[in-house]
Amino acid sequence: MSAARLDVWIFVEHLRGVVAGHTYELLGKGREIAGTLGGHLTAVLIGNQVQTLAPTLGAADSVLCVEDERVAEFTPTGYAAVLRALVEQGAPRLILFGATSMGIDLASLLASTLGFPLIVNCKEIAIEDGQVIATSQMCGGKLLCEAEASGESVVLTVVPGVFPTQKGISDHAPTVESPSLPALLEDVRVRVTRLIEPEPGDIDITKVPILVAVGRGIQRKENLPVAEDLARLLGGTICSSRPVVDQGWLPVSRQVGKSGMTVKPKLYLALGISGAPEHLEGMKEAELIIAVNLDPKAPIFDIADYGAVVDLFELLPPLAAEAEKRRAVR
Ligand code: FAD
C-alpha cells in the first residue's frame, strides 16, 4: 500500500524577479492545511536563475527549485511536464495554484494528464475527516458550490485576494532542493510571444488604496475629468468598467473585472456602474464599497457597503468641493 499523502504544494508565480502577491496568500493557506494534515508545505519554483526568490518563500518548509534556461519563459505544456514529473515523484496530497491565466492553464493540464480531481475558483479549502472539501465560486461569484474531492492527490485553483497575504510571509529560511530539469520538453507547442502590460508610465491600479471607478453612466469621455478630480482630491486614482475601456476613453490597464484587473483597495467608489458579475469579480473584495447609481435596483447595491441613488453629475461637484475643503484644513 502506498504511503499516505500529506504534503501540500504551492506553485509559485513570478515575473521579472518578483513573486506574485497571491502566491503568499496560497502559502498562508497551505501552511494551515499542511498543519491539519500533518504534512510538509513545499513551494515549487520554476524558471531560470530564480533561486534568489527562494528566501522570500519562508512560509514553506522547503522550496523545490527547477532552474533551466529551457523553462526561462512560461509555456503551459512545458511547465506542466516539469510539474508532472515532480508530482509523480513527490506525491503531494494537494497542489494549489492561483486562479490566474497561468494557474488555470497549469492546473487543468496537470490534473488531466495525471487523472487527478480538479476544483477551480476556490474561496475556501478545508480538510474534514481526511477529505478535501472546497467552496468554489461559479458564474463570476454569483453562486458558491461546495465540492468534495476523492483521490489521493487533488489539484485546486484559488481565487486571488481571498486569503490574507501576511500569513504567507515569514523570515524563516526554507530548505532548497534543486533537481535538474525532470522532463524532456519535446512537446512544447505553445509559446508566449508577448506580455500585455500597463501602458508605460501608467499607474498599477492593483496597488492603489483609493479607486474611483466610472462606468457607462459617465456617458462620454469629456466627463472623465470630474471623476479624475475627485480621485485626485481623495488621494486615489481612476479606473473603470469595461465599456469605458472598449470606447477607448481609458487604457485597458484601468479596467476592473473578469477580463481586466482584480483590485482590493481600501475604498472603491463605483460611479454609474451597474454591477454585472464580470465587473464584481474584479472588485468585490474591496474593503469598503460605495456605489452611486440612478437605478435603485442596480446589482452593485447588493454588494455595496453604502449606496446613493442619485445622478452622479449632481453628486460629484459638491463631493469634490467638500474633499477640497477638508484637504485645505489638513
Ligand atoms: P452598464 O451595465 O450599462 O451600467 C451603467 C450604469 O450606470 C447603470 O446601472 C445606470 O443606472 C447607471 N447610470 C447611468 N447614468 C447615471 C448617472 N447619471 N448617475 C448615476 N448612475 C448612472 N465588464 C467589466 O466591467 N469588466 C470586465 O473585466 C468585464 N469582462 C467581461 C468578460 C466577458 C467574457 C463578458 C461577456 C463581459 C465582460 N464585462 C466586463 C462586461 C459586463 O458584462 C458588463 O457589460 C459591464 O460591466 C457593464 O458596465 P457598466 O456597469 O459600466 O455599464
Side-chain angles (χ1 to χ4, degrees):
M1 209 173 92
S2 62
R5 300 183 174 201
L6 303 172
D7 295 345
V8 178
W9 283 18
I10 307 294
F11 174 73
V12 177
E13 266 190 52
H14 56 89
L15 187 66
R16 298 207 181 93
V18 180
V19 173
H22 70 263
T23 293
Y24 296 105
E25 298 167 11
L26 298 184
L27 283 168
K29 188 64 188 176
R31 181 80 270 156
E32 179 194 314
I33 302 170
T36 310
L37 288 168
H40 277 83
L41 179 65
T42 299
V44 184
L45 182 58
I46 304 173
N48 196 26
Q49 299 181 337
V50 287
Q51 198 161 343
T52 48
L53 299 177
T56 71
L57 306 168
D61 300 301
S62 59
V63 177
L64 208 44
C65 178
V66 177
E67 288 191 298
D68 193 292
E69 41 182 54
R70 284 167 289 174
V71 285
E73 299 294 335
F74 167 70
T75 59
T77 42
Y79 272 44
V82 172
L83 275 168
R84 179 187 172 154
L86 295 173
V87 165
E88 279 175 336
Q89 243 196 332
R93 175 85 171 96
L94 271 78
I95 311 150
L96 267 53
F97 297 83
T100 60
S101 32
M102 194 188 278
I104 291 165
D105 272 355
L106 284 175
S108 49
L109 271 170
L110 187 70
S112 61
T113 51
L114 287 171
F116 290 168
L118 166 69
I119 308 178
V120 297
N121 290 330
C122 297
K123 299 197 79 178
E124 188 49 275
I125 304 166
I127 306 294
E128 289 173 21
D129 299 327
Q131 292 304 308
V132 179
I133 313 279
T135 307
S136 157
Q137 75 172 29
M138 301 164 76
C139 304
K142 274 198 157 181
L143 293 176
L144 291 177
C145 109
E146 197 174 274
E148 182 180 322
S150 56
E152 288 186 325
S153 296
V154 182
V155 181
L156 303 106
T157 71
V158 177
V159 176
V162 170
F163 299 120
T165 312
Q166 212 47 42
K167 290 191 176 166
I169 296 175
S170 161
D171 47 20
H172 151 262
T175 53
V176 181
E177 275 180 66
S178 305
S180 50
L181 194 69
L184 289 173
L185 305 187
E186 279 167 346
D187 198 25
V188 175
R189 283 178 285 180
V190 176
R191 191 167 58 86
V192 176
T193 55
R194 183 165 77 96
L195 273 177
I196 301 171
E197 296 186 89
E199 326 245 308
D202 197 15
I203 286 169
D204 179 355
I205 59 168
T206 64
K207 304 216 160 69
V208 177
I210 295 177
L211 287 173
V212 174
V214 292
R216 216 195 303 258
I218 199 76
Q219 294 172 6
R220 59 182 73 89
K221 188 177 185 183
E222 292 67 35
N223 291 334
L224 283 179
V226 66
E228 279 166 339
D229 282 350
L230 180 65
R232 182 180 44 78
L233 288 164
L234 294 175
T237 198
I238 193 173
C239 61
S240 76
S241 63
R242 180 161 157 177
V244 173
V245 170
D246 287 347
Q247 297 280 350
W249 300 344
L250 284 174
V252 70
S253 49
R254 300 293 180 113
Q255 181 182 319
V256 172
K258 188 187 187 76
S259 47
M261 303 290 185
T262 298
V263 296
K264 211 172 149 187
K266 285 191 185 309
L267 169 65
Y268 193 87
L269 176 56
L271 304 171
I273 292 178
S274 59
E278 295 84 5
H279 185 78
L280 302 189
E281 199 171 321
M283 46 65 73
K284 60 179 184 297
E285 305 295 337
E287 282 179 35
L288 183 72
I289 299 170
I290 304 178
V292 177
N293 200 300
L294 276 175
D295 176 5
K297 295 207 175 94
I300 190 85
F301 289 128
D302 297 341
I303 61 145
D305 299 289
Y306 297 96
V309 180
V310 62
D311 185 332
L312 70 93
F313 297 106
E314 276 176 34
L315 182 73
L316 254 51
L319 199 57
E322 186 60 30
E324 180 108 61
K325 229 191 303 171
R326 293 191 183 203
R327 247 166 90 101
V329 292
R330 253 192 272 144

Coordinates of all heavy atoms in Angstrom, one line a residue, residues 115-166:
G115 N -4.8 12.4 -14.2 CA -6.1 11.9 -13.7 C -6.5 12.3 -12.3 O -7.2 11.5 -11.6
F116 N -6.0 13.4 -11.9 CA -6.3 13.9 -10.5 C -7.6 14.8 -10.6 O -7.9 15.4 -11.6 CB -5.2 14.8 -10.0 CG -3.9 14.1 -9.6 CD1 -2.8 14.9 -9.4 CD2 -3.9 12.7 -9.5 CE1 -1.6 14.2 -9.0 CE2 -2.7 12.1 -9.2 CZ -1.6 12.9 -9.0
P117 N -8.4 14.8 -9.5 CA -9.5 15.7 -9.5 C -9.1 17.1 -9.4 O -8.0 17.4 -8.8 CB -10.3 15.3 -8.2 CG -9.4 14.5 -7.4 CD -8.3 13.9 -8.3
L118 N -9.9 18.0 -10.0 CA -9.5 19.4 -10.1 C -10.7 20.2 -9.6 O -11.8 20.0 -10.0 CB -9.2 19.8 -11.5 CG -9.1 21.3 -11.9 CD1 -7.9 22.0 -11.2 CD2 -9.1 21.5 -13.4
I119 N -10.5 21.1 -8.6 CA -11.5 22.1 -8.2 C -11.0 23.5 -8.5 O -10.0 23.9 -8.0 CB -11.9 21.9 -6.7 CG1 -12.2 20.4 -6.3 CG2 -13.1 22.7 -6.3 CD1 -12.5 20.2 -4.9
V120 N -11.8 24.2 -9.2 CA -11.3 25.5 -9.7 C -12.0 26.7 -8.9 O -13.1 26.5 -8.3 CB -11.6 25.8 -11.2 CG1 -10.7 24.8 -12.0 CG2 -13.0 25.7 -11.5
N121 N -11.4 27.8 -8.9 CA -12.0 29.0 -8.3 C -12.4 28.9 -6.9 O -13.5 29.3 -6.4 CB -13.2 29.5 -9.1 CG -12.8 30.0 -10.5 OD1 -11.7 30.6 -10.6 ND2 -13.7 29.9 -11.5
C122 N -11.5 28.3 -6.1 CA -11.8 28.0 -4.7 C -11.8 29.3 -3.8 O -10.9 30.1 -4.1 CB -10.9 27.0 -4.1 SG -11.0 25.4 -4.9
K123 N -12.7 29.4 -2.9 CA -12.7 30.5 -2.0 C -12.4 30.0 -0.6 O -12.2 30.8 0.4 CB -14.0 31.3 -2.0 CG -14.3 31.9 -3.4 CD -15.3 32.9 -3.4 CE -14.7 34.2 -2.9 NZ -15.7 35.3 -2.8
E124 N -12.6 28.7 -0.4 CA -12.3 28.1 0.9 C -11.9 26.7 0.7 O -12.4 26.0 -0.3 CB -13.5 28.2 1.9 CG -13.2 27.8 3.3 CD -12.0 28.4 3.9 OE1 -10.9 27.9 3.7 OE2 -12.1 29.4 4.6
I125 N -10.9 26.2 1.5 CA -10.5 24.8 1.4 C -10.4 24.3 2.8 O -9.8 25.0 3.7 CB -9.1 24.7 0.7 CG1 -9.1 25.4 -0.7 CG2 -8.7 23.2 0.6 CD1 -7.7 25.6 -1.3
A126 N -10.9 23.1 3.0 CA -10.8 22.6 4.4 C -10.6 21.1 4.3 O -10.8 20.4 3.2 CB -12.1 22.8 5.2
I127 N -10.0 20.5 5.3 CA -9.8 19.0 5.4 C -10.8 18.6 6.5 O -10.7 19.0 7.6 CB -8.4 18.7 5.8 CG1 -7.4 19.3 4.9 CG2 -8.2 17.2 5.9 CD1 -7.4 18.9 3.5
E128 N -11.7 17.7 6.1 CA -12.7 17.2 7.0 C -12.7 15.6 7.0 O -12.9 15.1 5.9 CB -14.1 17.7 6.8 CG -14.3 19.2 7.1 CD -15.6 19.7 6.6 OE1 -16.6 19.0 6.4 OE2 -15.7 21.0 6.5
D129 N -12.4 15.0 8.1 CA -12.2 13.5 8.1 C -11.3 13.1 7.0 O -11.6 12.1 6.3 CB -13.6 12.8 8.0 CG -14.5 13.2 9.1 OD1 -14.0 13.4 10.2 OD2 -15.8 13.3 8.8
G130 N -10.2 13.8 6.8 CA -9.2 13.4 5.8 C -9.6 13.7 4.4 O -8.8 13.5 3.5
Q131 N -10.8 14.2 4.2 CA -11.3 14.6 2.8 C -11.0 16.1 2.5 O -11.1 16.9 3.4 CB -12.8 14.3 2.6 CG -13.1 12.8 2.7 CD -12.3 12.0 1.6 OE1 -12.3 12.3 0.5 NE2 -11.7 11.0 2.1
V132 N -10.8 16.4 1.2 CA -10.6 17.7 0.8 C -12.0 18.3 0.4 O -12.7 17.8 -0.5 CB -9.7 17.8 -0.4 CG1 -9.5 19.3 -0.8 CG2 -8.3 17.2 -0.1
I133 N -12.4 19.4 1.2 CA -13.7 20.0 0.9 C -13.4 21.4 0.4 O -12.7 22.1 1.2 CB -14.6 20.1 2.1 CG1 -14.6 18.7 2.9 CG2 -16.0 20.6 1.8 CD1 -15.6 17.7 2.3
A134 N -13.9 21.8 -0.7 CA -13.6 23.2 -1.2 C -14.9 23.9 -1.5 O -15.8 23.3 -2.1 CB -12.7 23.1 -2.4
T135 N -14.9 25.2 -1.2 CA -16.0 26.0 -1.7 C -15.5 26.8 -2.9 O -14.5 27.5 -2.8 CB -16.4 27.0 -0.6 OG1 -16.7 26.3 0.6 CG2 -17.7 27.8 -1.0
S136 N -16.3 26.6 -4.0 CA -15.8 27.2 -5.2 C -16.8 28.1 -5.8 O -18.0 28.0 -5.6 CB -15.6 25.9 -6.1 OG -15.7 26.3 -7.5
Q137 N -16.4 29.2 -6.4 CA -17.3 30.2 -6.9 C -17.6 29.9 -8.4 O -16.8 29.5 -9.2 CB -16.9 31.6 -6.7 CG -15.8 32.1 -7.6 CD -15.5 33.6 -7.5 OE1 -15.7 34.2 -6.4 NE2 -15.0 34.2 -8.5
M138 N -18.9 30.2 -8.8 CA -19.3 29.9 -10.2 C -20.0 31.2 -10.7 O -20.4 32.1 -9.9 CB -20.3 28.8 -10.2 CG -19.7 27.5 -9.7 SD -21.0 26.3 -9.4 CE -21.4 25.8 -11.0
C139 N -20.2 31.3 -12.0 CA -20.9 32.4 -12.6 C -20.4 33.8 -12.1 O -21.2 34.6 -11.6 CB -22.4 32.3 -12.3 SG -23.1 30.8 -12.9
G140 N -19.1 33.9 -12.1 CA -18.5 35.1 -11.7 C -18.7 35.5 -10.2 O -18.6 36.7 -9.9
G141 N -19.0 34.5 -9.4 CA -19.1 34.8 -8.0 C -20.6 34.8 -7.5 O -20.9 35.0 -6.4
K142 N -21.5 34.7 -8.5 CA -22.9 34.7 -8.1 C -23.4 33.5 -7.3 O -24.2 33.6 -6.5 CB -23.8 34.8 -9.3 CG -24.0 36.2 -9.8 CD -25.2 36.3 -10.8 CE -25.7 37.7 -10.8 NZ -26.8 37.9 -11.7
L143 N -22.7 32.4 -7.6 CA -23.1 31.1 -6.9 C -21.9 30.5 -6.3 O -20.8 30.7 -6.8 CB -23.6 30.1 -8.0 CG -24.9 30.4 -8.7 CD1 -25.2 29.3 -9.7 CD2 -26.0 30.4 -7.7
L144 N -22.1 29.9 -5.1 CA -21.0 29.2 -4.5 C -21.4 27.7 -4.5 O -22.5 27.4 -4.3 CB -20.8 29.7 -3.1 CG -20.3 31.1 -2.9 CD1 -20.2 31.4 -1.4 CD2 -18.9 31.2 -3.5
C145 N -20.4 26.8 -4.7 CA -20.7 25.4 -4.6 C -19.7 24.7 -3.8 O -18.5 25.1 -3.7 CB -20.8 24.9 -6.0 SG -19.5 23.8 -6.5
E146 N -20.2 23.7 -3.0 CA -19.2 23.0 -2.1 C -18.9 21.7 -2.8 O -19.8 21.0 -3.3 CB -19.8 22.8 -0.8 CG -18.8 22.4 0.3 CD -19.3 22.3 1.7 OE1 -19.4 23.3 2.3 OE2 -19.7 21.1 2.0
A147 N -17.6 21.4 -2.9 CA -17.2 20.1 -3.6 C -16.3 19.3 -2.7 O -15.5 19.9 -2.0 CB -16.5 20.5 -4.9
E148 N -16.5 18.0 -2.8 CA -15.6 17.1 -2.1 C -14.8 16.3 -3.1 O -15.4 15.8 -4.0 CB -16.4 16.2 -1.2 CG -15.5 15.2 -0.4 CD -16.4 14.3 0.5 OE1 -17.4 14.7 1.0 OE2 -16.0 13.1 0.6
A149 N -13.5 16.3 -2.9 CA -12.6 15.6 -3.9 C -12.2 14.3 -3.4 O -11.6 14.2 -2.3 CB -11.4 16.5 -4.3
S150 N -12.4 13.2 -4.2 CA -11.8 11.9 -3.8 C -10.6 11.8 -4.6 O -10.3 12.5 -5.5 CB -12.8 10.8 -4.1 OG -13.2 10.9 -5.4
G151 N -9.8 10.8 -4.2 CA -8.5 10.6 -4.9 C -7.3 11.0 -3.9 O -7.5 11.7 -3.0
E152 N -6.2 10.4 -4.3 CA -5.0 10.6 -3.4 C -4.5 12.0 -3.5 O -3.9 12.5 -2.5 CB -4.0 9.6 -3.8 CG -4.3 8.1 -3.4 CD -3.2 7.2 -3.6 OE1 -2.4 7.4 -4.6 OE2 -3.0 6.3 -2.8
S153 N -4.5 12.6 -4.7 CA -4.0 13.9 -4.8 C -5.1 14.8 -5.5 O -5.8 14.3 -6.3 CB -2.8 13.9 -5.8 OG -1.7 13.2 -5.2
V154 N -5.1 16.0 -5.1 CA -6.2 16.9 -5.6 C -5.5 18.2 -6.0 O -4.6 18.7 -5.4 CB -7.2 17.2 -4.4 CG1 -8.3 18.1 -5.0 CG2 -7.8 16.0 -3.8
V155 N -6.0 18.7 -7.2 CA -5.4 20.0 -7.7 C -6.5 21.0 -7.5 O -7.7 20.8 -7.8 CB -5.1 19.8 -9.2 CG1 -4.6 21.1 -9.8 CG2 -4.1 18.7 -9.5
L156 N -6.1 22.2 -7.0 CA -7.1 23.3 -6.8 C -6.6 24.6 -7.3 O -5.4 24.9 -7.2 CB -7.4 23.4 -5.3 CG -7.9 22.2 -4.6 CD1 -6.7 21.6 -3.7 CD2 -9.1 22.4 -3.8
T157 N -7.4 25.4 -7.9 CA -7.1 26.8 -8.2 C -7.8 27.7 -7.2 O -9.0 27.4 -6.9 CB -7.3 27.3 -9.6 OG1 -8.8 27.4 -9.8 CG2 -6.8 26.3 -10.6
V158 N -7.1 28.7 -6.7 CA -7.7 29.6 -5.6 C -7.8 31.0 -6.1 O -6.9 31.6 -6.7 CB -6.8 29.6 -4.4 CG1 -7.3 30.5 -3.3 CG2 -6.7 28.1 -3.9
V159 N -9.0 31.6 -5.9 CA -9.2 33.0 -6.4 C -8.3 33.9 -5.6 O -8.2 33.9 -4.4 CB -10.7 33.4 -6.0 CG1 -11.0 34.8 -6.4 CG2 -11.7 32.5 -6.7
P160 N -7.5 34.8 -6.4 CA -6.6 35.7 -5.7 C -7.4 36.7 -4.8 O -8.5 37.1 -5.2 CB -5.9 36.4 -6.9 CG -6.1 35.5 -8.0 CD -7.4 34.8 -7.8
G161 N -6.8 37.1 -3.7 CA -7.4 38.1 -2.9 C -8.3 37.5 -1.8 O -8.8 38.2 -0.9
V162 N -8.5 36.2 -1.8 CA -9.4 35.6 -0.8 C -8.7 35.3 0.6 O -9.3 35.6 1.6 CB -9.9 34.2 -1.3 CG1 -10.7 33.5 -0.3 CG2 -10.8 34.5 -2.5
F163 N -7.5 34.9 0.6 CA -6.8 34.6 1.8 C -5.7 35.7 2.1 O -5.2 36.3 1.2 CB -6.0 33.3 1.7 CG -7.0 32.1 1.5 CD1 -6.9 31.3 0.4 CD2 -8.0 31.9 2.4 CE1 -7.8 30.3 0.2 CE2 -8.9 30.8 2.2 CZ -8.8 30.0 1.1
P164 N -5.5 36.0 3.4 CA -4.6 37.1 3.7 C -3.1 36.8 3.3 O -2.7 35.7 3.4 CB -4.7 37.2 5.2 CG -5.3 36.0 5.7 CD -6.1 35.4 4.6
T165 N -2.5 37.8 2.8 CA -1.1 37.7 2.3 C -0.1 37.5 3.5 O 0.8 36.7 3.5 CB -0.6 39.0 1.7 OG1 -1.7 39.4 0.7 CG2 0.7 38.9 0.9
Q166 N -0.4 38.2 4.6 CA 0.5 38.2 5.8 C 0.9 36.8 6.3 O 2.0 36.6 6.6 CB -0.1 39.1 6.9 CG 0.8 39.9 7.7 CD 1.9 40.6 6.9 OE1 1.6 41.2 5.8 NE2 3.2 40.5 7.3

